[in-house]
Amino acid sequence: MKFISDIVDGISLGSIYALIALGYTMVYGIAKMLNFAHGDIIMVGGYAAFITLSANWCPMWLSLVITVTVCTLLGIIIEKLAYRPLRSSPPLAVLITAIGVSYLLQNIALLTQSANPRMFTSIVNGVPPFLQVFKGRGAVFFKENPYKAEGIKSDLTISTETFLAIIVSVIIMVALSLFINKTKAGKAMLACSEDRGAAQLMGINVNGTITLTFAIGSALAAVAAVLMCSSYPLLTPSTGSMPGIKAFVAAVFGGIGSIPGAMIGGVLLGIIEILAKAYISTQLSDAIVFLVLIIVLIVKPTGIMGRKINEKV
Amino acid sequence: MSMLEIKDLEVYYGAINALKGITFSVEQGEIIALIGANGAGKTTTLHTISGLIPAKRGSVMFNGKELMKTPAHKIVSMGMAQVPEGRRVFAQLSVLENLTLGAYTRKDKRGISETLERVYEYFPRLKERRTQLAGTLSGGEQQMLAMGRALMSKPSIILMDEPSMGLSPLYVNEIFKIIEEINKNGTTVLLVEQNAKKALSIANRAYVLETGSISLSGDAHELMDNEQVKKAYLGE
């Protein structure tokens, strides 16, 4: 039972990583840059959600809308101000700028929100667990423990937060796949990621496509922020950096630039992390995650779904 | 007024002067060949016209409109398409997806499917392989796809960069036959080629580009008999 619960937790955490990794991988695929400020957009999303959720005037749906809007606009603004002027600069200049943006966001948060951690209230606070299984007595969904009076504890509990993270991520990933493979704007993104110059010759506005990519990636980060803070409620100005780096690992693990790769990489990484925590060592779990990255890079440098670039002459 | 008028076009790559003020024009309905050796500036010329490379000086007038300040993606909907050097098809997308992207700037669904049928008539092979990934096509088929993709925008002028490069003689003949056919059906062609013999045989007029300047120009058949051209480009 514990193993099942660990796997579900891993999938849930992994779904959140996958949402973040999608932002990394899409931006890498289309703008050919690593946006190391991506993790900090999650942090901004966390504070946006925290502030609006704690305000009395703001209903939860509006708080979610505001969080997604704030992150989307932030992504677009960062791209316009910091990255666009460097479009034809060497990759190193862009990379360093991205790191600079990351520190800028963290320090703005430090100045305005202080270093004191905030306790994030889950968006499904007060909702009973999604599933509780009692050996020999069956399972209950979305109900308080019916055997509490008898002193019986559930043998397997899946919290609503865990369930929500998986469901929301699956819906978003299906929607994103449909958008990319079925719509004109999505096809334009694929074309830009393969050959920017040729895409321009088709009449595709490359700058517009890059802006759209940043907008989508940042919106996904906002959703990830709310899901993550609901499950892991401690919010500080550096909240985004570790999940950001792990999602980057997930993107590389899956094959950077590949959208299905980011999804698979994210989920696998989440499972590895939770299993490492449960069965090896809590302290070493992060080290194990990065060890996985090193092994992947040695064995298959292009990642699970990464493709070699074949050029036909 | 010419359809396409290039005047004193100067392009630099850093300190390197790639085009040293070239002037030429293309009339409606013509096939114009731009021939020259490697590094003469042929591709640079096409990329500057299409807006992929900024020019330092000069002007590019297309149907009376200045293209120098027009972003590349807006030039396509004005009626100009380019078949880039080395094909540059989208290898991870299917043949049909590549062709559909060629019509990216168009909104008339019926018109697009009519043009698609037209392209399939020019290149029946593409119809057979429409679900195949473009990267799995042979070089000649990719060239056909790149040409079909450019035609999908229904251009009034099509710029072709080295369509014969790397192809077997059989494919070269087929490709050049289709270029003539495309031209007969009303599309003006600006053709950049290293295969000077082939290019001159189908062109109306030609310009010879030499290290960033136009050294010769005139009627294509006359240029074919020109001693200088014969020696330098036709290997006679």
Side-chain angles (χ1 to χ4, degrees):
Chain A
M1 281 296 192
K2 176 163 182 335
F3 184 72
I4 296 176
S5 144
D6 287 336
I7 291 286
V8 174
D9 281 346
I11 294 174
S12 174
L13 177 63
S15 308
I16 296 171
Y17 287 158
L19 286 184
I20 309 169
L22 281 169
Y24 264 112
T25 224
M26 286 170 69
V27 164
Y28 179 82
I30 288 151
K32 298 284 175 275
M33 64 162 289
L34 291 171
N35 179 19
F36 275 117
H38 192 57
D40 301 290
I41 291 179
I42 301 166
M43 176 273 294
V44 173
Y47 277 106
F50 174 79
I51 292 167
T52 49
L53 283 172
S54 6
N56 291 325
W57 52 268
C58 193
M60 198 207 299
W61 66 266
L62 183 60
S63 160
L64 295 179
V65 171
I66 291 174
T67 304
V68 171
T69 312
V70 164
C71 287
T72 307
L73 288 179
L74 182 65
I76 293 173
I77 291 168
I78 290 173
E79 194 275 321
K80 277 235 159 76
L81 294 184
Y83 303 148
R84 185 168 296 185
L86 299 174
R87 189 76 20 101
S88 47
S89 308
L92 196 60
V94 187
L95 187 73
I96 292 168
T97 305
I99 294 171
V101 172
S102 165
Y103 278 106
L104 180 70
L105 292 179
Q106 285 188 30
N107 283 289
I108 290 175
L110 206 55
L111 267 177
T112 57
Q113 303 297 317
S114 89
N116 297 330
R118 314 276 168 161
M119 278 305 285
F120 193 94
T121 319
S122 160
I123 48 164
V124 285
N125 190 29
V127 179
F130 160 66
L131 169 70
Q132 291 184 92
V133 178
F134 302 90
K135 262 189 195 141
R137 292 168 190 260
V140 292
F141 291 91
F142 293 118
K143 276 204 187 100
E144 295 301 345
N145 183 350
Y147 312 106
K148 208 174 181 179
E150 302 159 50
I152 295 171
K153 279 188 185 160
S154 75
D155 296 293
L156 170 69
T157 307
I158 294 170
S159 73
T160 304
E161 284 85 358
T162 304
F163 172 70
L164 191 70
I166 297 174
I167 291 298
V168 170
S169 302
V170 167
I171 292 171
I172 285 180
M173 286 184 216
V174 170
L176 185 68
S177 301
L178 287 177
F179 170 76
I180 288 190
N181 293 308
K182 301 283 174 217
T183 69
K184 211 168 162 179
K187 288 271 169 62
M189 288 171 103
L190 289 176
C192 285
S193 80
E194 231 185 278
D195 187 332
R196 227 189 261 178
Q200 272 179 302
L201 291 178
M202 303 298 107
I204 294 167
N205 180 351
V206 170
N207 272 333
T209 306
I210 292 177
T211 304
L212 178 66
T213 309
F214 270 85
I216 293 176
S218 305
L220 297 185
V223 176
V226 173
L227 294 174
M228 192 181 73
C229 291
S230 291
S231 292
Y232 304 85
L234 219 53
L235 183 63
T236 71
S238 59
T239 286
S241 38
M242 207 42 168
I245 290 173
K246 282 186 190 155
F248 170 61
V249 173
V252 173
F253 190 25
I256 191 135
S258 155
I259 286 168
M263 298 176 185
I264 294 169
V267 172
L268 282 180
L269 200 76
I271 294 173
I272 293 169
E273 183 179 332
I274 297 288
L275 291 184
K277 264 194 185 131
Y279 300 100
I280 304 174
S281 152
T282 314
Q283 279 94 9
L284 279 181
S285 69
D286 284 350
I288 291 167
V289 164
F290 292 112
L291 187 68
V292 167
L293 173 70
I294 293 169
I295 294 171
V296 167
L297 287 178
I298 292 171
V299 178
K300 197 167 186 297
T302 50
I304 302 171
M305 304 286 285
R307 38 191 186 223
K308 268 205 289 197
I309 297 150
N310 289 320
E311 271 182 27
K312 213 162 205 169
V313 182
Chain B
M1 183 185 69
S2 306
M3 184 180 209
L4 183 64
E5 268 188 86
I6 284 87
K7 247 192 208 142
D8 303 318
L9 196 63
E10 263 184 70
V11 176
Y12 284 79
Y13 293 117
I16 300 160
N17 191 350
L19 289 182
K20 300 166 184 165
I22 62 167
T23 300
F24 70 96
S25 64
V26 181
E27 307 293 330
Q28 175 129 30
E30 280 186 312
I31 298 184
I32 295 295
L34 200 58
I35 60 174
N38 254 340
K42 305 188 298 291
T43 297
T44 306
T45 307
L46 291 198
H47 280 186
T48 312
I49 297 173
S50 297
L52 292 183
I53 300 176
K56 184 154 191 188
R57 238 172 257 118
S59 94
V60 176
M61 298 289 275
F62 178 49
N63 288 331
K65 279 181 203 133
E66 177 60 71
L67 293 190
M68 294 281 279
K69 295 273 176 273
T70 314
H73 65 270
K74 290 207 173 131
I75 292 176
V76 183
S77 47
M78 295 166 73
M80 182 186 285
Q82 192 187 136
V83 184
E85 185 180 1
R87 280 85 73 167
R88 289 170 79 171
V89 295
F90 301 111
Q92 306 295 338
L93 300 180
S94 73
V95 168
L96 182 59
E97 284 171 321
N98 268 275
L99 292 173
T100 315
L101 274 170
Y104 183 80
T105 52
R106 294 175 65 184
K107 291 191 174 62
D108 53 325
K109 273 210 171 126
R110 186 175 299 165
I112 293 173
S113 54
E114 272 171 27
T115 313
L116 184 65
E117 282 313 311
R118 201 66 179 290
V119 168
Y120 283 156
E121 277 167 32
Y122 284 126
F123 309 105
R125 195 80 56 87
L126 294 183
K127 190 172 187 177
E128 284 164 33
R129 314 219 148 176
R130 60 188 180 278
T131 56
Q132 217 171 304
L133 289 188
T136 64
L137 299 180
S138 76
E141 288 163 347
Q142 287 189 7
Q143 185 59 50
M144 293 176 173
L145 178 55
M147 285 165 69
R149 189 178 65 175
L151 287 173
M152 285 301 291
S153 66
K154 223 177 174 187
S156 53
I157 186 168
I158 188 163
L159 318 181
M160 297 201 195
D161 199 346
E162 307 268 9
S164 77
M165 194 174 70
L167 301 187
S168 70
L170 215 66
Y171 263 126
V172 173
N173 287 336
E174 199 174 339
I175 295 280
F176 272 87
K177 230 196 279 165
I178 293 166
I179 296 175
E180 278 190 291
E181 217 178 301
I182 289 168
N183 177 251
K184 277 204 192 95
N185 289 332
T187 310
T188 309
V189 176
L190 175 56
L191 176 65
V192 153
E193 257 302 338
Q194 282 203 51
N195 188 338
K197 204 175 205 169
K198 267 282 166 202
L200 291 177
S201 74
I202 65 164
N204 304 102
R205 291 185 299 123
Y207 295 87
V208 179
L209 206 55
E210 236 170 280
T211 56
S213 314
I214 287 172
S215 60
L216 274 171
S217 65
D219 179 89
H221 287 95
E222 279 168 26
L223 279 178
M224 251 179 157
D225 297 328
N226 181 302
E227 286 306 317
Q228 245 179 298
V229 174
K230 269 186 179 172
K231 244 191 210 156
Y233 303 104
L234 302 177
E236 284 171 23

